[in-house]
Amino acid sequence: GGGAGAALEGGGLWGGFGGDARAWLVPVRGRASDARVLVTFGRRGPRYGALWFSREVLPLLCSSVHYVIAGDGPDGAALAAVGGNVHVLGRIDDDLRETVMRGADVFVQPNIVVRGDMEGFGLVTIEAALRGTPVVAADLEGLKDAVVHGETGLLLPTAEADLWAAELTRLLADPELDALGSRFQAAAGKLYGEAAMGDAL
């Protein structure tokens, strides 16, 4: 899915899956062959929306959809307590980070409004797009500067659970999802790749 490439080697609980990048993303326990994987990276604080997404959106999706969260922060314990199809990795090394990001079906950045704490710039959404992983992010604050809607990712209204669930259901059922990720990747490369950044400097 989503720009999957050969999985990088790693170890521990997540090792031993060979070249199937998606297989790294769901723990050994109960992994179904039809599992679809959504991923979020970054600090696990309220404004990043992972807890909201886990409680409000994931229950509206098909039971084969898993949500993998990498990073630490104050919401970590609450996220771990959600259980079910929510998998909290905490901090991960660079190799596993690559495997997780490339193996996801969709990268989600579901930020919500938190007074006094706003998103400066959604760099991680660019990183995901550059790896060919389709990006869906909240149409909010600095994410609007990082994601070009329809070109490098999709922007959705923040905290609209039904709308998020409907759009993700549509995307995960789309046989052209990988092609969408490739289009986002090409556009992100032109806007944010090394050549573009060098020219800007």
Side-chain angles (χ1 to χ4, degrees), residues 13-82:
L13 175 63
W14 302 89
F17 287 107
D20 183 355
R22 186 180 291 112
W24 286 69
L25 305 184
V26 182
V28 176
R29 54 183 170 83
R31 179 183 182 271
S33 61
D34 64 344
R36 307 308 299 272
V37 178
L38 309 175
V39 165
T40 292
F41 277 83
R43 182 167 170 75
R44 300 282 54 87
R47 75 172 163 92
Y48 296 93
L51 189 57
W52 168 79
F53 188 91
S54 298
R55 291 173 172 172
E56 304 296 331
V57 179
L58 192 62
L60 302 179
L61 302 177
C62 176
S63 62
S64 63
V65 178
H66 292 253
Y67 184 36
V68 176
I69 305 156
D72 60 9
D75 280 354
L79 283 163
V82 174

Side-chain angles (χ1 to χ4, degrees), residues 110-189:
N111 286 37
I112 59 175
V113 176
V114 174
R115 188 172 181 179
D117 186 15
M118 67 180 291
E119 181 73 52
F121 185 71
L123 179 61
V124 70
T125 61
I126 295 173
E127 294 175 332
L130 286 171
R131 286 156 177 82
T133 304
V135 171
V136 179
D139 189 9
L140 181 70
E141 300 162 352
L143 293 173
K144 296 191 292 185
D145 297 319
V147 178
V148 181
H149 180 68
E151 294 185 30
T152 67
L154 300 175
L155 292 170
L156 297 180
T158 183
E160 295 282 350
D162 289 342
L163 193 155
W164 275 75
E167 182 64 8
L168 288 169
T169 296
R170 182 190 70 79
L171 285 173
L172 291 173
D174 187 350
E176 298 298 315
L177 182 61
D178 284 353
L180 179 66
S182 295
R183 291 199 297 274
F184 288 169
Q185 182 180 35

